Amino acid sequence: MRFGSPTSFWLLLALPLLAAFFLYAIRRKRRMLRRFAEVEMLRKMSQNISPYRQFLKAALQLTVVFFVVLALTRPQYGTKMEMMTRQGLDVVIAADVSLSMLAEDLKPTRLARTKQEMGRFVDNLSGDRIGLVAFAGEAFLQCPLTTDYGAFKIFLDELGPELIGTPGTSIGAALETALKAFDPTERKYRVVVLLTDGEDHSGAAEKAAQKAAEQGVILYTVGIGSRGGAPIPVRDQRGRVSYKTDARGNVVTTRLDEVLLQKMALATGGKYFHASPGSFELKQVLEEINAMEKRKLEGEHFTQFEERFQWPLTVALILIVGEMLLSDRRRRKREWEGRFS
């Protein structure tokens, strides 16, 4: 037994409040009646009303609420096997998280805008496996290839300059790490999307692109930020903003090596795109990927838990009908025969 929405159990906290409300309503009704009738008159007028049945009706209403909440938790019991077929590619996104990605020529920052666009990119995938590589002066696999787009977005949210302590921009290391994420036995249906705002400091970028081409990987490169560069903001502990400077005190601006990114993409049969404030271009990358031939995977079995919310919901409906049919009048063999008898 498992529950698809266990957080709904918090709604059960309303049951004591409802019970207190019903008790208060019954007592308040009795107090109001006493204000308008003598005790003996009130006793004769209400002798056909059963307090036991009133409490029973209230208990049934509370029980209905309990079973409705239980249905909302989506109890799941038992499993079934289903066949799943899909068509898709293996796509690894290599995202630059160096300090220069904090530049603000793309609002709110280059990195924040990149993460937003990557989220939209993933939302439009269907059947493709997606992986994530984070890189600056070095690179590591942040998320292995998966079809769980929700899990991918969790890793995406964690992207930031603090992930990698080594400064710089090693595009070669990023591509090498992305290639290791693929199944080495597969020679087709593999794509790397490289997102960066800087030049390669490793000197191994073109060599890595050639290796990708030999392995049948298509590379799409996206240059982020203005072509003229932008200063890199640095915030102190008080939140005050200054800009990164070199040893001579000059403000450092980022440099986008578009020629290198174009060469890398063309070496693998891919394309280069420039992401500017007006257009981020990941939509065009998605169009290119969707136009590619995709492999068809069949015969994959997966286990799915059977939804059993119908059971408590059925009980709740039965109790509602029972509560409606239950009268709060007590059964009497003989009716009252006089007003004062």
Side-chain angles (χ1 to χ4, degrees), residues 157-191:
D157 289 340
E158 298 299 318
L159 284 185
E162 67 281 354
L163 282 178
I164 301 177
T166 305
T169 305
S170 181
I171 295 177
L175 188 50
E176 287 279 358
T177 304
L179 294 179
K180 293 177 182 177
F182 294 115
D183 182 354
T185 63
E186 181 64 69
R187 307 290 298 181
K188 295 176 64 178
Y189 314 111
R190 302 191 294 178
V191 174

Side-chain angles (χ1 to χ4, degrees), residues 20-264:
F21 172 76
F22 287 148
L23 185 61
Y24 167 78
I26 292 173
R27 290 182 175 179
R28 179 176 173 80
K29 181 179 179 181
R30 291 177 178 176
R31 287 198 302 266
M32 295 294 292
L33 288 173
R34 291 192 187 103
R35 294 177 58 183
F36 295 100
E38 297 292 338
V39 175
E40 184 64 21
M41 176 68 73
L42 184 61
R43 184 184 65 80
K44 290 182 177 294
M45 291 175 61
S46 61
Q47 62 181 349
N48 287 336
I49 304 298
S50 171
Y52 168 77
R53 292 196 173 207
Q54 286 183 325
F55 281 108
L56 181 58
K57 287 174 68 69
L60 286 174
Q61 292 171 2
L62 292 174
T63 308
V64 166
V65 173
F66 170 80
F67 279 102
V68 168
V69 171
L70 189 59
L72 291 175
T73 63
R74 293 175 51 211
Q76 299 168 349
Y77 179 75
T79 60
K80 62 180 179 180
M81 301 296 293
E82 291 188 357
M83 293 287 292
M84 184 182 77
T85 60
R86 69 177 180 88
Q87 288 184 327
L89 305 172
D90 287 344
V91 181
V92 175
I93 299 179
D96 190 345
V97 295
S98 59
L99 283 175
S100 59
M101 288 291 286
L102 298 179
E104 299 174 344
D105 51 345
L106 269 68
K107 300 298 182 183
T109 66
R110 292 177 178 177
L111 182 58
R113 177 71 182 279
T114 298
K115 291 167 67 173
Q116 291 172 2
E117 297 295 334
M118 287 169 64
R120 296 190 183 101
F121 178 86
V122 172
D123 287 339
N124 287 283
L125 294 179
S126 178
D128 303 291
R129 292 200 302 172
I130 187 77
L132 179 62
V133 169
F135 73 95
E138 58 184 1
F140 72 93
L141 184 64
Q142 175 82 345
C143 176
L145 286 166
T146 179
T147 55
D148 188 343
Y149 300 150
F152 177 88
K153 286 187 175 183
I154 293 175
F155 288 105
L156 176 62
D157 289 340
E158 298 299 318
L159 284 185
E162 67 281 354
L163 282 178
I164 301 177
T166 305
T169 305
S170 181
I171 295 177
L175 188 50
E176 287 279 358
T177 304
L179 294 179
K180 293 177 182 177
F182 294 115
D183 182 354
T185 63
E186 181 64 69
R187 307 290 298 181
K188 295 176 64 178
Y189 314 111
R190 302 191 294 178
V191 174
V192 173
V193 181
L194 177 68
L195 301 154
T196 182
D197 69 345
E199 59 183 333
D200 181 54
H201 296 151
S202 68
E206 289 191 70
K207 184 178 179 180
Q210 187 60 43
K211 183 178 179 180
E214 293 171 357
Q215 295 183 10
V217 175
I218 297 178
L219 173 64
Y220 292 98
T221 56
V222 180
I224 301 171
S226 57
R227 291 186 168 92
I232 303 172
V234 179
R235 287 178 171 80
D236 60 19
Q237 295 180 345
R238 297 183 178 180
R240 294 176 298 187
V241 180
S242 59
Y243 293 95
K244 188 176 181 180
T245 57
D246 58 20
R248 297 182 179 180
N250 299 318
V251 175
V252 176
T253 58
T254 62
R255 180 188 171 194
L256 177 62
D257 192 344
E258 291 190 286
V259 175
L260 172 64
L261 296 179
Q262 290 170 353
K263 288 181 178 179
M264 292 177 65

Side-chain angles (χ1 to χ4, degrees), residues 106 113 117 222-223 273-284:
L106 269 68
R113 177 71 182 279
E117 297 295 334
V222 180
F273 300 92
H274 176 242
S276 62
S279 177
F280 201 88
E281 302 297 336
L282 267 185
K283 183 178 180 181
Q284 283 69 28

